[in-house]
Amino acid sequence: MNPQYLSRVPDSGFDRVDALLDPVDTDLADAFPGDRQQPQPVHTVYVSAADAGPDTPRVWGEQAVELLDRHTEALSEIGTTGALPDVRAMLEHRPIMDLRIDFEDGFGWRSDDVEDAAALEAGRTLRLLSSDPSGPRSLGIRAKGLAPHERRRGIRTLELVLEGAGGVPDGFVFTVPKLRAAQQVTAVVALCEELERAYGLPDRSLRFELQIESPQAVLGPDGTVTVAKAIHLADGRCTGLHYGTYDYSAACGIASRFQSLEHPVADHAKSVMLVAAAQTGVWVCDGSTQVIPQGSDEEIHAALARHYRLVTRSLERGYYQGWDMHPGHLITRWLATFDFYRAALPAAATRVQAYLDRQGGGVMDEPATAQALATVILRGLACGAFDEDAVRAQAPGCTGGTLRDLLTRAVVPGS
């Protein structure tokens, strides 16, 4: 401010404006705390509770490596940055970043005795995996949903999983399928509180994701966005929104032949999810594809190329996580992810360095753009697409600390 300028507005006027805006500022800060700082997993792997065990990540990794080795030539033509050796290393070291043991569609309806036993075993599996250095960084279950005919079964399964695990495993989250009304989230919060109280768990130790599989989860009967309300009714416990490709498409009346991640109804739903979750710290996860790489070589190559294209498409649209339902999907998930971030690095690093140096050039970036550029570099670092040496080779000033400061706009260009 110019110290020589004398405002005609009295202090009481400024106080009046502050009194009106201070509570708004507080509400906005509570509702939109900003992006979460921990790395978002590149995928979530869903495995039926009938098939899951402590060796699931290893077995999936081995099957993926075997498929990669048999189809290296075709995969080399799909990829764009020569990342296959690093993809293979990832499949050998940590093939699955985020795992859900599925008691819903992937498990189906079985006798109570069978599901009870599977739930206890799932808890033991999650406990073991959570302590494995090469295991998933986050993990959990998808229980049955909140509809009257299944909610008690779903709650019982969740309770038995916690019983089998001996508490809440590190990185645990459970998926709530088929959300249809925002008020259902209030009940899920109440359930978390009851379980924490009953089992002597730390307060707020239970977290959940909401699966968007119903049109009513996107647009409510009053014309408002259900999922936006749901996020803010979750009391900070909601960690993610997961799109359900086939349930959602079917509910919208899309013929099975045309149901996919790239159908216009899918694009609309995910765009709404992305806007609703923006700056809340809630992650958005794309759905799955039912096309898996098996059959003849020609069919396998077509499926691999299709999945690679779909993952790339999702990344371009800001969906940095997606479902994987088959070991072969791990190959093209990692390949597309590595290619995406490696292709983005040269331009992003150069522009961040120019922003730090306050240089001109063909593009004049603003703080918001520098923030976005830093985000893509940090995401690439987090998933292993490149390391800090590769970043500094492109931009000497782009240290991890500087990039994180750009996220909060704590860096003043040229300072």
Side-chain angles (χ1 to χ4, degrees):
M1 284 187 186
N2 184 346
Q4 296 179 352
Y5 172 74
L6 297 178
S7 175
R8 297 186 184 184
V9 178
D11 288 345
S12 60
F14 287 108
D15 291 342
R16 180 186 177 193
V17 173
D18 286 340
L20 291 169
L21 291 181
D22 283 348
V24 176
D25 294 338
T26 299
D27 289 345
L28 286 171
D30 290 342
F32 302 101
D35 295 334
R36 230 183 312 170
Q37 294 305 304
Q38 65 259 50
Q40 183 176 2
V42 304
H43 64 180
T44 299
V45 166
Y46 275 80
V47 180
S48 170
D51 303 320
D55 62 345
T56 293
R58 177 186 59 79
V59 170
W60 273 53
E62 288 174 353
Q63 292 177 356
V65 167
E66 191 274 333
L67 188 66
L68 184 155
D69 288 344
R70 282 196 291 115
H71 299 281
T72 298
E73 184 176 350
L75 287 163
S76 297
E77 295 175 358
I78 293 171
T80 60
T81 68
L84 271 182
D86 296 308
V87 170
R88 194 180 194 282
M90 183 62 74
L91 295 174
E92 292 175 333
H93 172 59
R94 180 180 275 124
I96 297 176
M97 291 189 74
D98 186 36
L99 175 68
R100 293 295 171 277
I101 297 178
D102 189 18
F103 286 90
E104 204 226 1
D105 289 345
F107 186 76
W109 284 95
R110 309 185 186 212
S111 71
D112 283 341
D113 287 346
V114 169
E115 184 157 342
D116 286 352
L120 288 167
E121 184 59 31
R124 290 188 283 268
T125 291
L126 293 173
R127 174 63 69 186
L128 289 171
L129 288 174
S130 69
S131 61
D132 182 352
S134 62
R137 293 173 179 167
S138 50
L139 37 69
I141 69 163
R142 178 173 69 170
K144 290 178 172 62
L146 299 171
H149 71 282
E150 60 184 348
R151 72 169 67 114
R152 294 224 169 186
R153 177 64 261 183
I155 293 171
R156 178 176 174 83
T157 295
L158 175 58
E159 186 173 2
L160 288 172
V161 167
L162 295 173
E163 182 77 32
V168 182
D170 290 341
F172 180 82
V173 62
F174 65 95
T175 306
V176 179
K178 296 179 174 60
L179 178 77
R180 297 189 71 200
Q183 295 86 343
Q184 290 174 314
V185 176
T186 302
V188 178
V189 172
L191 171 62
C192 291
E193 293 171 347
E194 293 294 334
L195 288 170
E196 288 165 356
R197 186 178 302 114
Y199 283 85
L201 302 173
D203 289 344
R204 308 181 64 78
S205 58
L206 289 173
R207 299 285 188 269
F208 56 84
E209 304 155 336
L210 300 173
Q211 194 158 21
I212 309 305
E213 304 176 81
S214 164
Q216 293 80 38
V218 173
L219 190 66
D222 60 354
T224 60
V225 178
T226 305
V227 68
K229 290 183 178 180
I231 289 172
H232 298 287
L233 288 174
D235 193 30
R237 293 178 184 265
C238 180
T239 63
L241 306 175
H242 286 228
Y243 178 66
T245 309
Y246 299 100
D247 282 83
Y248 192 93
S249 298
C252 288
I254 307 305
S256 59
R257 176 185 172 189
F258 300 104
Q259 294 174 3
S260 78
L261 298 177
E262 54 190 344
H263 192 279
V265 300
D267 283 340
H268 171 260
K270 290 181 291 186
S271 293
V272 173
M273 290 162 62
L274 202 65
V275 173
Q279 299 179 327
T280 65
V282 174
W283 290 329
V284 174
C285 177
D286 208 344
S288 64
T289 175
Q290 62 187 6
V291 180
I292 61 176
Q294 66 180 29
S296 67
D297 284 354
E298 183 178 348
E299 291 170 327
I300 291 172
H301 296 167
L304 291 170
R306 184 179 190 276
H307 189 246
Y308 177 96
R309 178 178 59 77
L310 288 173
V311 174
T312 301
R313 185 181 189 275
S314 295
L315 290 167
E316 290 171 349
R317 284 157 178 76
Y319 313 124
Y320 299 109
Q321 181 181 357
W323 281 22
D324 287 330
M325 307 291 287
H326 184 275
H329 288 158
L330 302 184
I331 304 169
T332 35
R333 172 71 59 186
W334 285 109
L335 184 59
T337 300
F338 282 2
D339 282 350
F340 176 80
Y341 288 113
R342 290 183 179 187
L345 177 61
T350 299
R351 288 172 64 181
V352 168
Q353 187 65 55
Y355 177 81
L356 295 173
D357 296 340
R358 257 205 190 286
Q359 295 173 352
V363 181
M364 294 293 291
D365 288 318
E366 297 182 353
T369 305
Q371 184 181 36
L373 293 167
T375 297
V376 76
I377 297 173
L378 286 169
R379 285 185 179 275
L381 286 167
C383 75
F386 41 74
D387 58 21
E388 286 201 29
D389 289 341
V391 176
R392 285 194 296 270
Q394 301 275 349
C398 286
T399 65
T402 300
L403 291 167
R404 284 186 288 273
D405 285 342
L406 285 170
L407 293 185
T408 59
R409 305 192 186 185
V411 174
V412 177
S415 62

